[in-house]
């Protein structure tokens, strides 16, 4: 994070949308992630709480986002994360969706199968978070 | 050998001096008048121990640094109040009856996310959330199921809800009335602490000022009609979980308390009429001595401010009585079993800090809602603290330690600096200062800065978290977790549809119009029309939205 050297940065600044989808108000994690990604040289657009799949898609389109990051702490991830992927697909954006927060081990593969680009659990290092975003963007553009 | 007294002799002389002081005698008289738990007060090895060591101010005496009551846990242990809830109202009702059959008298209700946000189970916002983190309450019918066949005059009910607290309290009053229990006989607590929602937990509906109007209406209503009800539980727990430091948790929480006092006094309620029924809720985190200092400082600060700034004269108005919960945020998903040790240490800090009740977290809560086994281990953990360690035998056993006294002073010093800032922001009013701090992002900014600093320390290895950034061997992630059946959502939607079919729609619309009209009149109290509306089976969301018409919604500025 703070010690990320310039050589680690992507040549173009990545634009990442972060949002809390649905009613869940736990925003400690997503704010920390916002600062981590900013420190890693990315442009972070934090939409805040109580977003819908529509509001996130609209923002991703308008901001020409490279990735969408969602943070989920209320066990709603199996409903909400696939809904987000579907909304992105329907808008034909091709933007990778990354999920962080409290996601049980057994749910990770089903989420990946549903089209989520990466799932970041508690304890993921700052470097791990930034790298997961870069990898997801690279894979989406491949 | 000189003639000077040895260390032991000097200590004995000092103890003899304070034990023979009139202050000690006065405290001792109150202590001796208290009913004590029937057990020998001696160590495991048979050494008899006194209730208190060290000079005053004694427990139960202003400014209450050493405890709110003269005999503390020698009379009654803290209440072991375990907070839980899941599924349908019937599921939770069965658990309540189980608690009552086993001799419990306190019921604690957790609501699901849509209920906490004033939304019904059929709202698009509720998708995937119904019955997950607590019980779903859409109408009075759900509340009737929740408390079916329970004598509400004989229990104390704690309801953890804030934004729509008035509607849920109205439903509780209506259920009681239907079963012949007058509201004056109802005992319990509703969290109803809206300030910390804007600062940390983020479960608000309306902007701050109309929300505080609802809170003061409830304070006024309960002061007049429900003498056994605690209308607000001022909560630092969520502020700490959101990332604050211990001193920020202490200061923001007490400042919120001062703000409610100022709001209620401004609404015309005498401070001594309601202050004695305010209670607090703190976090117990892992830095043992800092937490104990925080608890001790909380009592001293509250007592002094209530007496000196707000002119309280009744002792009860000055008592900072609090519930404690161990720090959910400290639990690690890695090697989850070691969380049992963290919880034990945090629980001990709560006991040594003089808490009135305690919830111990389950070791698997970094993964999901607790399994039954994990919840039982958590309860057993505080039973060990209570019955095996001797921590409950001597009042404020760490009082007098140079370090603990210094830490108590330091927590107080940091908190006073924050009060001064808020007083300044509010130009002599803490209430206005808290509003200003919500509007200008002060609280969320301070909390986010502290959370980020902590995260950076963990990431660069300056702060060791066992199992996360050190000692990471041995993590088998083969942990069974609790899963909530998705059929609850379908069941609850059908239940709501049935209730809506069976009610008198004209009566519902008239009652909702009365709620909106009362919201428009700042001199009227919202509780009576809300009670009428829920009795007509208006839904939680309908009543919430009837007020929203007048109050508007709150959207937080998204600040990183």
């Amino acid at each position: 994070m703070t010690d990320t050297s310039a050589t680690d940065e992507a040549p173009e600044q990545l634009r990442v949308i972060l949002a809390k989808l649905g009613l869940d108000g736990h925003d400690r994690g997503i704010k920390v992630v916002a600062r981590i990604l900013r420190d890693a040289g990315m442009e972070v657009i934090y939409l805040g709480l109580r977003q819908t799949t529509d509001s996130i898609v609209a923002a991703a389109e308008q901001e020409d986002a490279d990735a969408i990051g969602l943070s989920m702490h209320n066990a709603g991830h199996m409903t909400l994360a696939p809904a987000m992927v579907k909304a992105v697909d329907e808008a034909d954006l091709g933007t990778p969706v990354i999920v962080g927060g409290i996601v049980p081990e057994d749910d990770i593969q089903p989420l990946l199968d549903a089209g989520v680009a990466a799932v970041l659990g508690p304890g993921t290092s700052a470097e791990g978070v930034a790298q997961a975003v870069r990898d997801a963007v690279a894979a989406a553009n491949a | 050998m000189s003639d000077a007294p040895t260390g032991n002799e000097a200590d004995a002389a000092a103890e003899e001096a304070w034990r023979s002081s009139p202050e000690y005698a006065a405290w001792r008289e109150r202590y001796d008048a208290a009913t004590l738990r029937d057990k020998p007060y001696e160590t495991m090895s048979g050494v008899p121990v006194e209730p208190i060591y060290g000079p005053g101010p004694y427990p139960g005496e202003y400014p209450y640094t050493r405890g709110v009551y003269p005999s503390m846990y020698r009379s009654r242990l803290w209440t072991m109040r375990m907070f839980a809830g899941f599924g349908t109202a019937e599921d939770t009702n069965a658990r309540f009856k189980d608690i009552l059959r086993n001799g419990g008298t306190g019921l604690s209700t957790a609501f699901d996310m849509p209920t906490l946000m004033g939304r019904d189970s059929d709202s698009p916002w509720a998708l995937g959330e119904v019955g997950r983190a607590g019980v779903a309450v859409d109408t009075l019918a759900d509340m009737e199921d929740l408390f079916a066949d329970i004598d509400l005059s004989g229990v104390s009910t704690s309801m953890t809800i804030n934004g729509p607290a008035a509607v849920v309290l109205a439903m509780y009053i209506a259920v009681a009335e239907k079963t012949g229990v007058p509201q004056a006989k109802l005992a319990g607590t509703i969290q109803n602490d809206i300030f910390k929602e804007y600062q940390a937990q983020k479960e608000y509906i309306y902007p701050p000022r109309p929300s505080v109007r609802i809170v003061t209406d409830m304070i006024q209503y309960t002061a007049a009609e429900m003498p056994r009800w605690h209308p607000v539980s001022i909560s630092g727990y969520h502020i700490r979980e959101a990332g604050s430091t211990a001193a920020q948790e202490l200061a923001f929480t007490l400042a919120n308390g001062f703000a409610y006092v100022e709001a209620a006094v401004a609404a015309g309620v005498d401070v001594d009429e309601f202050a004695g029924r305010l209670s607090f809720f703190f976090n117990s985190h892992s830095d043992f001595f800092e937490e104990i200092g925080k608890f001790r400082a909380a009592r001293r600060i509250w007592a002094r401010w209530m007496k000196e700034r707000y002119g309280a004269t009744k002792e009860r108005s000055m008592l900072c009585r609090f519930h404690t919960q161990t720090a959910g945020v400290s639990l690690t998903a890695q090697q989850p079993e070691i969380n049992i040790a963290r919880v034990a240490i945090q629980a001990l800090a709560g006991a040594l800090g003089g808490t009135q009740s305690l919830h111990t977290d389950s070791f698997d809560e970094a993964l999901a809602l607790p399994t039954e086994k994990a919840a039982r281990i958590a309860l057993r953990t505080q039973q060990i603290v209570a019955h095996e360690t001797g921590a409950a035998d001597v009042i404020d056993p760490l009082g007098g330690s140079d370090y603990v006294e210094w830490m108590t002073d330091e927590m107080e010093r940091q908190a006073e600096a924050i009060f001064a800032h808020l007083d300044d922001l509010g130009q002599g009013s803490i209430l206005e200062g808290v509003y200003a701090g919500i509007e200008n992002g002060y609280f969320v900014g301070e909390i986010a800065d502290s959370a980020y600093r902590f995260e950076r320390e963990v990431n660069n290895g300056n702060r060791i978290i066992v199992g996360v950034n050190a000692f990471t061997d041995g993590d088998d992630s083969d942990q069974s977790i609790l899963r909530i059946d998705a059929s609850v959502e379908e069941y609850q939607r059908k239940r709501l549809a049935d209730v809506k079919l069976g009610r008198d729609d004209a009566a519902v619309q008239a009652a909702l119009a009365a709620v909106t009209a009362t919201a428009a009149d700042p001199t009227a109290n919202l509780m009576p029309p809300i009670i009428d509306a829920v009795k007509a089976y208006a839904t939680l969301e309908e009543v919430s939205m009837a007020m929203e018409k007048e109050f508007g919604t709150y959207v937080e500025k998204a600040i990183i």
Side-chain angles (χ1 to χ4, degrees), chain B residues 505-544:
Chain B
D505 280 333
V508 171
Q509 292 313 317
L512 292 173
V515 171
T516 305
T518 309
D521 175 5
T523 63
N525 193 300
L526 279 159
M527 284 305 294
I530 294 175
I531 294 169
D532 289 344
V534 302
K535 280 182 184 167
Y537 292 89
T539 70
L540 180 85
E541 181 166 334
E542 287 168 339
V543 179
S544 299

Side-chain angles (χ1 to χ4, degrees), chain B residues 45-365:
Chain B
S45 317
V47 179
V49 292
E50 289 288 330
I52 188 87
Y53 291 86
Y58 294 99
E61 284 176 10
Y62 184 86
Y64 309 100
T65 314
R66 305 198 70 182
V68 287
Y69 302 122
S71 52
M72 288 300 292
Y73 305 141
R74 283 222 173 176
S75 284
R76 204 169 67 83
L77 287 169
W78 60 88
T79 304
M80 301 184 191
R81 182 176 294 139
M82 302 297 279
F83 170 65
F86 54 88
T88 65
E90 284 106 324
D91 295 336
T92 306
N93 177 259
R95 211 174 42 84
F96 282 171
K97 287 179 181 158
D98 199 46
I99 290 168
L100 296 173
R101 259 195 308 274
N102 285 294
T105 55
L107 305 177
S108 180
T109 321
F111 299 96
D112 71 355
M113 198 66 203
T115 305
L116 293 172
M117 292 297 297
R119 299 286 176 174
D120 290 340
S121 298
D122 60 359
S123 158
W125 284 104
L127 194 67
E129 302 267 17
V130 177
R132 293 240 176 222
V135 66
V137 171
D138 295 317
T139 68
L140 181 58
D142 298 321
M143 210 67 156
E144 288 165 358
D145 291 347
L146 189 57
F147 294 103
D149 308 316
I150 294 171
D151 175 9
L152 295 185
S153 67
V155 296
S156 154
T157 302
S158 162
M159 293 189 278
T160 302
I161 193 158
N162 298 276
V167 188
V168 169
L169 178 61
M171 288 182 182
Y172 191 72
I173 292 167
V175 170
E177 196 182 298
K178 281 197 157 191
T179 57
V181 176
Q183 58 185 350
K185 282 197 161 182
L186 297 176
T189 304
I190 191 150
Q191 193 167 76
N192 199 27
D193 171 15
I194 202 68
F195 280 132
K196 63 94 172 55
E197 298 300 336
Y198 303 104
Q199 296 159 346
Q201 188 167 240
K202 312 294 173 75
E203 291 164 7
Y204 39 67
I205 302 173
Y206 322 109
R209 285 173 198 269
S211 293
V212 170
R213 184 260 173 109
I214 300 173
V215 174
T216 47
D217 279 4
M218 293 171 72
I219 291 175
Q220 234 167 350
Y221 186 85
T222 55
E225 309 287 346
M226 304 171 74
R228 302 177 66 203
W229 198 267
H230 296 86
V232 191
S233 167
I234 305 155
S235 307
Y237 185 81
H238 320 80
I239 292 169
R240 191 65 177 285
E241 290 286 295
S244 83
T245 64
Q248 287 167 338
E249 176 198 357
L250 173 68
F252 295 174
T253 310
L254 294 182
N256 291 344
F258 303 148
Y260 292 123
V261 168
E262 290 182 13
V265 168
V269 195
D270 183 78
V271 65
D272 283 318
E273 251 179 71
F274 67 90
R277 281 177 302 108
L278 297 177
S279 60
F280 293 85
F281 172 20
F282 289 113
N283 198 303
S284 191
H285 217 300
S286 295
D287 195 317
F288 192 67
F289 295 102
E290 185 174 61
E291 294 306 292
I292 294 165
K294 178 186 76 183
F295 297 131
R296 300 176 87 246
R299 282 189 291 270
R300 187 195 289 170
I301 295 169
W302 183 252
R304 201 182 52 246
W305 276 66
M306 289 308 290
K307 183 178 182 177
E308 292 179 6
R309 177 139 170 170
Y310 299 116
T313 54
K314 281 190 191 163
E315 175 173 60
R316 205 167 164 79
S317 304
M318 301 176 210
L319 299 184
C320 178
R321 294 167 300 119
F322 59 88
H323 173 66
T324 300
Q325 180 170 339
T326 59
V329 78
S330 74
L331 304 177
T332 59
Q334 298 85 348
Q335 304 186 49
E337 299 86 350
I338 66 176
N339 289 324
I340 297 170
R342 292 190 175 99
V343 169
I345 292 161
Q346 295 165 5
L348 181 60
L352 295 174
T355 192
Q356 275 57 63
S357 59
L358 179 64
H359 168 106
T360 31
D361 287 329
S362 300
F363 71 87
D364 55 356
E365 284 185 66

